[in-house]
């Protein structure tokens, strides 16, 4: 007897639920990260900008012609990026989250001047320069929609980590929160540890991500997170 194959097609309600779930998860996990920053890295916490309003998000989407994925929009509703300064490299690889206005400018440069593909949203870049950063895939209908990627001037755009289907932005944020709370490097979804990109505290109460094995990147006064931090 041959059993008929049944194809399950996602409904509009499924999509709405998924977006609502990502929205709630993003807001919740950023609350965990911010709580940790305020307790242990005050210089970084002080650089968190006020929330972006719905009108700000809508205006940015109109300006670039792309709708922000739910998790990214939810993150901007918590904070409109980070201000520059000591401790602004809050994200892995010591990158800073761009305010919406800077995201719009960066996106225009990528698509107009660099001729990069539309829908790849550069939401973060290396603190202090414009050579590389993180992006989220906002191309609706693509299997990698909502996933994290890395962009650079010379290296182009590529999903992160390489060699797998992708890393949803909200899952990445949850892993950042866990790494800070547990005092460890990131555990990538492909099973690898990011030992070259470890969270550390500077002498001025800022958070950074460096390779602690490189003495040039780990000067005196830095504290490597090695287990949950007390007090």
């Amino acid at each position: 007897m041959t059993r008929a194959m049944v194809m399950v097609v996602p409904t509009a309600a499924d999509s709405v639920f998924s977006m609502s779930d990502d929205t709630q998860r993003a807001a919740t996990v950023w609350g965990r990260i911010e709580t940790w920053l305020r307790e242990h890295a005050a210089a970084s916490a002080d650089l968190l900008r006020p929330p972006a309003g719905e009108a700000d998000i809508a205006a940015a989407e109109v300006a670039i012609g792309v709708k922000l994925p739910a998790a990214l929009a939810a993150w901007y509703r918590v904070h409109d990026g980070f201000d520059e300064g000591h401790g602004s490299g809050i994200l892995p690889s010591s990158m800073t989250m761009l305010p919406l206005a800077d995201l719009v400018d960066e996106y225009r440069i990528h698509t107009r001047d660099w001729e990069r593909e539309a829908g790849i949203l550069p939401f973060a870049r290396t603190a202090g320069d414009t050579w590389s950063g993180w992006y989220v895939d906002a191309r609706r209908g693509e299997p990698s929609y909502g996933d994290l990627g890395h962009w650079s001037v010379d290296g182009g755009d590529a999903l992160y980590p390489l060699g797998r289907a992708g890393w949803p932005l909200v899952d990445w944020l949850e892993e950042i929160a866990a790494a800070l709370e547990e005092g460890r490097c990131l555990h990538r979804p492909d099973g690898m540890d990011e030992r070259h990109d470890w969270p550390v505290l500077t002498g001025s109460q800022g958070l950074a991500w460096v390779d602690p094995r490189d003495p040039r990147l780990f000067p005196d006064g830095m504290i490597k997170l090695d287990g949950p931090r007390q007090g």
Side-chain angles (χ1 to χ4, degrees), residues 19 61 64-70 77 121 138-140 145:
M19 290 178 65
E61 292 175 336
I64 61 177
V66 179
K67 187 173 180 60
L68 273 59
R77 291 187 188 101
L121 298 184
R139 300 172 299 168
R140 289 187 175 275
Y145 176 78

Side-chain angles (χ1 to χ4, degrees), residues 5-227:
M5 181 177 293
V6 177
M7 180 177 292
V8 178
V9 179
T11 66
D14 294 329
S15 299
V16 171
F17 178 79
S18 177
M19 290 178 65
S20 298
D21 184 51
D22 281 355
T23 297
Q24 182 58 49
R25 287 173 63 197
T28 299
V29 72
W30 190 257
R32 289 167 54 194
I33 294 172
E34 184 171 345
T35 295
W36 190 93
L37 290 174
R38 297 202 180 281
E39 291 179 354
H40 305 293
S44 293
D46 288 345
L47 297 175
L48 302 177
R49 291 167 57 86
E54 294 300 327
D56 300 319
I57 294 172
E61 292 175 336
V62 169
I64 61 177
V66 179
K67 187 173 180 60
L68 273 59
L72 185 61
W75 191 3
Y76 274 109
R77 291 187 188 101
V78 179
H79 290 290
D80 184 14
F82 313 151
D83 285 327
E84 291 278 351
H86 175 77
S88 61
I90 295 169
L91 302 179
S93 298
S94 285
M95 294 191 187
T96 183
M97 183 185 183
L98 298 175
L100 276 171
D102 291 348
L103 181 153
V104 170
D105 290 342
E106 192 75 46
Y107 182 79
R108 286 171 171 164
I109 291 172
H110 287 212
T111 55
R112 180 192 61 205
D113 300 341
W114 301 355
E115 299 182 343
R116 299 287 174 83
E117 186 171 357
I120 302 297
L121 298 184
F123 68 88
R125 65 183 174 215
T126 306
D129 68 45
T130 59
W131 291 100
S132 62
W134 297 116
Y135 75 78
V136 65
D137 191 338
R139 300 172 299 168
R140 289 187 175 275
E142 292 293 328
S144 54
Y145 176 78
D147 286 350
L148 178 73
H150 183 267
W151 64 265
S152 68
V153 175
D154 299 326
D157 306 325
L159 290 174
Y160 184 86
L162 294 172
R164 69 176 306 277
W167 197 351
L169 179 67
V170 69
D171 290 356
W172 180 66
L173 289 174
E174 287 178 339
E175 177 57 18
I176 292 172
L180 293 175
E181 292 165 349
E182 296 170 18
R184 58 169 173 80
C185 65
L186 296 184
H187 299 331
R188 292 178 3 184
D190 59 3
M192 300 292 291
D193 286 348
E194 292 286 23
R195 293 189 175 277
H196 66 279
D197 200 13
W198 205 290
V200 299
L201 295 176
T202 70
S204 301
Q205 293 188 302
L207 173 65
W209 298 73
V210 304
D211 187 343
R213 299 166 296 186
D214 188 338
R216 297 169 301 173
L217 302 175
F218 196 75
D220 291 340
M222 272 194 175
I223 301 172
K224 174 185 173 183
L225 298 184
D226 192 12

